Each structure stands twice: as C-alpha cells, then as structure tokens.
Amino acid sequence: MDPVAELITSYFELNGHIIDELDDGGTEPSPLEFMRYVARNTPFVVRRGASTWPAVQNWSVPFLKKTLVEHTVNVAVTPNGFADAPTPGPDGDVIFAKPWEEDQAFPEFLDYVVKQEKGQLPKGAETRYAQTQNDNLRHEYASVFAHVHKDIPFARIALQREPEAINLWIGNSHSVTAMHRDNYENIYVQVLGQKHFVLLPPLCQPCVNEQPLQQYNYKRSSDSLTMEKEELDSEARQEGDGGDNTVPFAVWDPDAPDDNTTTYSSLAEPMRVTLNPGDMLYLPAMWYHKVSQSASEQGICVAVNYWAIITTDNFC
Amino acid sequence: MDPVAELITSYFELNGHIIDELDDGGTEPSPLEFMRYVARNTPFVVRRGASTWPAVQNWSVPFLKKTLVEHTVNVAVTPNGFADAPTPGPDGDVIFAKPWEEDQAFPEFLDYVVKQEKGQLPKGAETRYAQTQNDNLRHEYASVFAHVHKDIPFARIALQREPEAINLWIGNSHSVTAMHRDNYENIYVQVLGQKHFVLLPPLCQPCVNEQPLQQYNYKRSSDSLTMEKEELDSEARQEGDGGDNTVPFAVWDPDAPDDNTTTYSSLAEPMRVTLNPGDMLYLPAMWYHKVSQSASEQGICVAVNYWAIITTDNFC
C-alpha cells in the first residue's frame, strides 16, 4: 500500500473522527490535561466551558449596538460571503479572492448583518463580516474586552504564553470561512449563534489539493464589488519572482468531496463539530478548518478566539 | 532552496543543537514541565536527578556480583562490540549484524566484562553486553529492582502510563549501540560509568541514509563467532515477500560524517550529551540515538531505562 495512504488510513483507524468532548459539566481541563492534547495534536470541545462569561450571558443585538454605538469597525465585504477563499475569477480560473475592507459605523454594520439574516435585503446583496484578526478585541473592541476572560488560564499556564491575539468575529450565516490552516494554537469560544467546524488533521495535507492561486481583491466601485488582481509591491517585484502573486491554498472542499480531488481526498474523514453559545473548542496548530455559521434568533453569530504562537513547534 | 534542506536547517537554527539541562539541583520536572518537552518532541537532561537512588549510591562490581551470584543472565556476544549494527558481511556488502545470545552465570559474565575493560583479555576478544530489552529489570534482574525507582513519576503522571519496560544494561566501553530509533518515550538513568549519546531529531531522517540491510546473526561455533544469514520463518516465506529478510537501517554514522552520506547528511547537527552516574536523560520517541560508553573505575558501565509506548503518537 502507498505509505501516504497507509498513514492517513491508520490515523483515522486509531483516532476515529469524533472530536473528544471533555466532561459535560463545563469544567476546563487542567494545564497538564490540556498539554496532553497539545502533545497529541488533537482537538477537543468543552461544552458550556464559557457559559458563565459575561459576554455569553449578556451580549445581544441591542446590547452590542448600545455599547458600541460610537464605534467604527473594519468590515470585510464580499458579494457572496466567501472571503479569503478559492473563487472563480474573471477568466474562469479558480483564484484566491480577498474581501474588500472598509470602516463602518458599528450600529449600521450590525443592522445590515441582522437584516440580511432575516431576509430583509435583496437576494444577492453583499455579505459583511467583522473578522479582522489583528487582536481586535484588545484594540478595536477594547470597550467590550472586559466581558470575556483576558486569557485562557489552562492554555496560558501550559504553553507559558500570553495570548498573541484575541479576536472578535461578528457576522451572519452568509459568511463561510474556506478550509485553511494557521500556525497557531487556537481556542474558540462561541458567544451567540453557532459555528460549524469541519476539521482535518495536518497529515491530510495530501488530501486537500493545495494549489497556487492568483490573489485577487474585491474593490467597491460605485454600487458593486469588482475583482482586481493583486499588485505585487515593488519590493516583491524586485526580488525577481517573476511577478508570481500566487498563494498556495486548498481547493478540495470536504462539503463537495467529489470535486477537485487528489488521489488521497477520499481517505480523509472530516471531523465535524458545532459550537453552541458558551462552548469552547481547542483547535491545534496546523489543523485544517472550514467554518460556517448559524445566526442566533436575533440574527447574528458572534465568537471570540485566542491565538498562541508556538515558535518551537513540532518539526516532524 | 530544497524544502527538505530548508526544514532541517530551520530546525537547527531555531532549536540549536545543545540539549536542555534542567536546573542543576537534581530536581525532576513536574508532569506539566515534562509534557511541554513531550509536546515539543525535545530531549532534556536532569543532572543528578537520580543521585539518591539506592542503585546509584550502592551498586559496584563486588555488590552486583554478590547480589546476583546465583543468577543466570542473557548476554549478547559480538566479535567487536557492534550488536544490531551495520557491519561488513561475508560478501563485503554492508549487512545488519545481530548478536549471538547465550545465557551465562552472572559472576562469570561480570568478570569477563571487567577483565576486558582492564586490558586483561587478548586484543580481539569477543565483546559481551547484557542488553536484553525485554523488561529485564522486573524479570531477569528482579532481585535488584528494588534499588531503582519503580517508575518515573513525572512521566507516569504526564503520559498516564506505567512503564512498558524497565531495562538494565551492563557492559564495558567495547560496546557501541549503532544509531537507530524507537517508538518509545524513553528515560535513561546512568548508574555506573558514562554513556555518550549522539542524538538527531526525527526530521533528520533524510540525513541518516536508511538502507534495506540483509539480516545476519552471529553464531558461536567451537571457539569463534561466525556470521549466518537469518532464515525467514515459514510464515514470512509464505507471505510471499520473495525471501526478503532486509530491515531498513541508518548507514550514515555521525562519527564518520563523510562516509555513506545522503545529500542532506551535512545539514544534520548531531546533539551530543554524556550522562554521568545519577544523571537522567529524556529521549523522545522517534529520535535517532547512537550510544557509546565509558566504564567506571571498576570497569563496568551500568544504566537503566524506562520505556513508555505512546499509542496515539503524533502522525504529522
């Protein structure tokens, strides 16, 4: 048997594809228990682990609107909800589409998200998602940072690191995050609505069909969003990489498993888990994840995540 | 740059090739501190970590001889000290030579080891090494097991596993263990003499030039050791693997770095560490290790090691 196929098959035979759930009482793991998961590079969920957080108990559309009434937030805008995703480009090829980013007044942004979720906007209206991943909760949204925990103690103690970034995500069910991976240990906390994760371990790299995709940006021009090829900055051009503006990205989608396959795609057993308000997920560094969302009854999906960079990560 | 070369080079840039030494007071790590090393797949030494063990305080040649006077032990015999090692075979090819194993009365065995170390045997005399790795300290040598700790608490608690095997090693400076790797988390404790480790992380696999080697056994015939090709058992023969009795084994030797190289061998930065009596070494699973030894003044080298199998090891 092909050794790559054997590795992937053995992984799922040994580990299954059900995500561990720590006991149901909302008890966080100890640092040592957490470190065992880090060592095994294995995700887990703590149901209701954040259920007592003020954000989980108190946030709502009216509350956020009132609290952030004076705020301006950076919003990612796409025609279809796919930001940073493989998308058919102007020439029909699959390209990597990055969102248009613009600042919006928070109350207007939130009204838009809710209206779209409730079907009060025309079909085909643009999708808006507050998804800056630049430690926004300690900066852009600092005024609500006190409503979440300032770190995840079991992770801080185990990893001996403060969170590198704490990010707030606000959107609706129209936004989907395409399957990708990050070099961060990641803890997600769901606040409102649901997030639906599809996960694959790093060894599934041969399954996901990473392709070099040309990078395009959406731009707002008058009333529509158009796509423009990303210009290389002059530095990159001088490095003489032949004008290559591609980024490697997975084009196999576990939700359309018969398209864009590699020889190994059929061996992947995607692990699926839905986070409800108050649930926590540990997503290990370098795990592939695709994330879609469902809105709360009030029409929004809100989550917070904590990133820690592990500099001396496994090199095996 | 070749991505394999880049990976190996970055590893050593980031991690160096000096083995961590935990503080000098002989204090063992906590389970959490240990688990951080497991998660990073990184070795460490605790100098004097076992200095209070009865074995470290009391064992000597006369003590062992007296205590084990009635014992019979399994001894690995080779003409040159290289057991389980790449060796020139009868036809000049490099083959994998396994030792002759025989039972010997312990006092005679120990006398032989000491005499050879002290130069009281003819040059070229066979080398004897008590190196069974079958949990011998809890079986063959059960009568001295009480002189060592029955497990390594920080590892047992962290890994949630009792030791799979505890092995006693008794030999002299004529024995060298060729570079290989095991799928065990491994804690070595030096009791008498010194062990000199040369370590390489698992990602150095491209450097070590693993080759399929024919397996040969030394056999004692009258007064000499001869080499015989290992016969496949009938089961293996029926599986129709064409009579292949090879085993993959590293033929690059970090102590002869210009021989048997691959393209990547020169990028490996072997990590060297010597254990003195009472020192402990954590050797992570799948690390390559070559081990040579120096004898104590009384002419022997004695060590104990603890193995734990990690079934759900990293698959990345």
Side-chain angles (χ1 to χ4, degrees), chain B residues 3-74:
Chain B
V4 171
E6 199 167 334
L7 185 69
I8 297 169
T9 307
S10 323
Y11 176 87
F12 289 109
E13 274 173 17
L14 271 172
N15 295 282
H17 63 283
I18 308 294
I19 292 172
D20 281 12
E21 301 209 357
L22 305 193
D23 85 41
D24 218 359
T27 311
E28 295 181 5
S30 73
L32 174 58
E33 285 164 333
F34 174 64
M35 208 60 199
R36 289 190 192 114
Y37 279 90
V38 176
R40 290 166 53 209
N41 196 243
T42 299
F44 65 80
V45 167
V46 188
R47 295 288 177 203
R48 311 293 301 149
S51 57
T52 62
W53 291 24
V56 174
Q57 299 209 335
N58 303 329
W59 285 5
S60 64
V61 169
F63 179 93
L64 288 172
K65 221 162 125 180
K66 195 176 113 196
T67 312
L68 293 166
V69 65
E70 300 293 344
H71 272 65
T72 298
V73 294
N74 182 286

Side-chain angles (χ1 to χ4, degrees), chain A residues 60-71 106-107 110 144:
Chain A
S60 65
V61 168
F63 179 93
L64 288 172
K65 221 162 129 179
K66 194 175 115 196
T67 312
L68 294 166
V69 64
E70 299 294 344
H71 272 64
F106 184 80
L110 204 63
V144 295

Side-chain angles (χ1 to χ4, degrees), chain A residues 169-300:
Chain A
W169 309 69
I170 303 177
N172 63 25
S173 67
H174 292 249
S175 284
V176 174
T177 303
M179 192 164 68
H180 69 288
R181 55 180 178 173
D182 307 303
N183 189 25
Y184 303 107
E185 303 294 344
N186 208 330
I187 308 270
Y188 280 90
V189 174
Q190 191 67 25
V191 179
L192 290 168
Q194 297 179 310
K195 274 193 192 277
H196 312 287
F197 286 82
V198 186
L199 306 181
L200 284 175
L203 66 80
C204 282
Q205 195 266 342
C207 309
V208 304
N209 203 3
E210 279 174 1
Q211 297 287 339
L213 301 182
Q214 298 273 351
Q215 301 182 68
Y216 279 70
N217 291 298
Y218 288 114
K219 302 253 170 182
R220 188 184 290 290
S221 54
S222 66
D223 268 355
S224 71
L225 290 168
T226 56
M227 220 179 235
E228 272 181 27
K229 194 164 168 177
E230 179 157 303
E231 291 291 329
L232 292 177
D233 60 24
S234 58
E235 197 183 324
R237 243 178 287 134
Q238 277 165 17
E239 277 172 12
D241 56 4
D244 179 15
N245 86 341
T246 64
V247 62
F249 206 85
V251 300
W252 181 69
D253 178 350
D255 293 322
D258 299 331
D259 303 338
N260 301 318
T261 55
T262 70
T263 321
Y264 303 107
S265 300
S266 64
L267 301 176
E269 299 183 27
M271 301 166 75
R272 291 171 190 275
V273 66
T274 289
L275 296 192
N276 295 310
D279 291 348
M280 292 175 119
L281 166 69
Y282 165 55
L283 178 67
M286 300 309 276
W287 272 61
Y288 292 96
H289 50 293
K290 174 181 178 177
V291 193
S292 53
Q293 11 192 42
S294 300
S296 68
E297 281 185 20
Q298 292 184 336
I300 58 171

Side-chain angles (χ1 to χ4, degrees), chain A residues 40-93:
Chain A
R40 291 168 51 207
N41 195 242
T42 299
F44 64 80
V45 167
V46 187
R47 294 287 177 205
R48 311 291 302 147
S51 57
T52 61
W53 291 24
V56 174
Q57 299 209 335
N58 302 330
W59 284 4
S60 65
V61 168
F63 179 93
L64 288 172
K65 221 162 129 179
K66 194 175 115 196
T67 312
L68 294 166
V69 64
E70 299 294 344
H71 272 64
T72 298
V73 294
N74 181 284
V75 177
V77 186
T78 57
N80 50 16
F82 294 96
D84 301 316
T87 304
D91 306 327
D93 298 343

Side-chain angles (χ1 to χ4, degrees), chain A residues 2 8 58 76 94 137 164 178 211 254 262 266:
Chain A
D2 174 343
I8 296 169
N58 302 330
V94 174
L137 196 46
E164 206 73 31
Q211 297 287 339
T262 70
S266 64

Side-chain angles (χ1 to χ4, degrees), chain A residues 27-159:
Chain A
T27 311
E28 295 182 6
S30 73
L32 174 58
E33 286 165 332
F34 174 64
M35 209 60 197
R36 290 192 192 113
Y37 279 92
V38 176
R40 291 168 51 207
N41 195 242
T42 299
F44 64 80
V45 167
V46 187
R47 294 287 177 205
R48 311 291 302 147
S51 57
T52 61
W53 291 24
V56 174
Q57 299 209 335
N58 302 330
W59 284 4
S60 65
V61 168
F63 179 93
L64 288 172
K65 221 162 129 179
K66 194 175 115 196
T67 312
L68 294 166
V69 64
E70 299 294 344
H71 272 64
T72 298
V73 294
N74 181 284
V75 177
V77 186
T78 57
N80 50 16
F82 294 96
D84 301 316
T87 304
D91 306 327
D93 298 343
V94 174
I95 56 87
F96 183 75
K98 296 180 174 182
W100 170 246
E101 292 184 40
E102 67 189 17
D103 287 339
Q104 299 185 355
F106 184 80
E108 277 71 20
F109 158 71
L110 204 63
D111 281 344
Y112 185 95
V113 168
V114 170
K115 271 192 188 150
Q116 185 178 41
E117 186 64 35
K118 301 206 161 176
Q120 295 162 3
L121 292 180
K123 208 167 148 60
E126 67 186 37
T127 300
R128 299 179 184 176
Y129 194 9
Q131 59 148 21
T132 49
Q133 291 149 58
N134 52 5
D135 201 18
N136 65 25
L137 196 46
R138 292 190 290 199
H139 297 94
E140 203 172 350
Y141 297 103
S143 56
V144 295
F145 178 48
H147 308 170
V148 304
H149 287 192
K150 71 183 196 328
D151 59 35
I152 307 289
F154 65 79
R156 171 179 46 80
I157 295 166
L159 303 174

